[in-house]
Structures are given as structure tokens and as C-alpha cells.
Amino acid sequence: MNAEPLPTGPLPTKPARVSTEPARAEPVRFDTKIAVLLREDLEPWQRLNVTAFLVSGIGASVPEVIGEPYEDADGTGYLPMFRQPVLVFEGTKETLTSAHTKALSRALPRALFTSDLFSTGNDRDNRAAVRAVPTAELDLVGLAVYGPRNAVDKMLKGARMHP
């Protein structure tokens, strides 16, 4: 890394903040997408709960989607988050089933949430509830995927942005 030359002339009275972020003229356009698809008939609390659970699966399994840790001006540290937006969609039960089938056929990294998981209270029982149901019979209420933008867009056909 090359050091920048020191400025000549009078020094500023207050040190200038130096950003470590590269200057960008235009917004970043990612070639990948993180998307959550929720069944349209969920209660508001369920939508939030399902979304949180689903994106945790993507973050845990796809490390390249996680950015650097945060720090405020006082030096207090914060956990890293996704480096790109998470887009949330909604659709019918049929839209969710179709999206699930497409995600499987494209081998996209995915997380699912079934209606059975609303009645369990721990990770072990959650996994057992999913394991007990064949793929074609899963009562999906949410699905999160990560992958190339075009593949995710095709998977989401029929879904609409969450209001």
C-alpha cells in the first residue's frame, strides 16, 4: 500500500477525518442477491420472526455475504452485518412452493421456515419438525436464498416486494 504524500503549507486546526472506504460515484450494484420470500398470510410478528430466522441461515452458511465489523466515533465495536441489502418479498403458498422448487433445481443456498416451526421452541425440535415431512409436502411460510441475481430473480417469479 503506497503512503500518500504529506500536505504542505499550514496544518489544519482540527484533524480531518479520513475515510477508509473507497470513493464511489455511483451506488454499488451487486451481482448477487439475498432474498427472503414470505407467505402473504402471515401475521406481522410472524413475518419479522421468520425473516430473522431465515437470514441467520444465509449469514451462517455463506461467509462472503458478511462485511467487516462496525465501529462508532468513540471506538465502540459492533458486530458485522450483511455487506449487501436483503430484499423481502411476499407471495401466495403456490408462489412459495414454486420458488422452493426452483431454488432446489438451481442448487441455490437456501433456508426454509415451515408452519410447524411456530409450535416448536428450540433448534432440536425445529430440525425434527422439518425432517419429519417430505420435501413436496413441506408447508412453507418462508424461504431465503442467496445467489446470482438473475437466478434469484427467476426463482422469485410471481412474488412481489413486501409492502
Side-chain angles (χ1 to χ4, degrees):
M1 182 177 228
N2 295 337
E4 292 191 9
L6 294 173
T8 58
L11 293 175
T13 57
K14 199 173 170 186
R17 279 194 159 282
V18 177
S19 173
T20 58
E21 295 294 315
R24 293 191 173 107
E26 296 187 26
V28 175
R29 184 155 166 86
F30 294 97
D31 57 354
T32 58
K33 186 177 270 189
I34 301 170
V36 174
L37 177 57
L38 302 171
R39 203 165 73 193
E40 64 187 1
D41 61 349
L42 296 179
E43 294 293 324
W45 73 267
Q46 291 173 318
R47 291 171 185 255
L48 295 170
N49 184 266
V50 170
T51 300
F53 270 95
L54 290 172
V55 297
S56 72
I58 299 293
S61 299
V62 188
E64 65 267 23
V65 301
I66 304 297
E68 296 297 319
Y70 286 75
E71 184 176 289
D72 65 25
D74 296 324
T76 304
Y78 302 93
L79 295 172
M81 296 185 284
F82 289 124
R83 64 178 181 85
Q84 67 187 84
V86 175
L87 303 172
V88 182
F89 298 83
E90 69 175 6
T92 63
K93 184 176 183 171
E94 294 76 23
T95 301
L96 208 56
T97 300
S98 173
H100 181 241
T101 300
K102 291 174 188 173
L104 291 173
S105 72
R106 289 176 170 82
L108 294 173
R110 63 207 167 267
L112 79 149
F113 199 103
T114 66
S115 63
D116 296 329
L117 302 187
F118 289 126
S119 62
T120 60
N122 61 72
D123 186 52
R124 184 195 68 221
D125 292 343
N126 286 350
R127 285 183 281 110
V130 172
R131 186 179 302 277
V133 181
T135 304
E137 296 174 28
L138 291 168
D139 186 16
L140 299 169
V141 297
L143 181 68
V145 296
Y146 170 76
R149 187 173 358 131
N150 291 343
V152 173
D153 287 343
K154 288 177 184 174
M155 188 215 73
L156 292 168
K157 188 173 180 160
R160 58 194 172 279
M161 286 294 292
H162 190 280

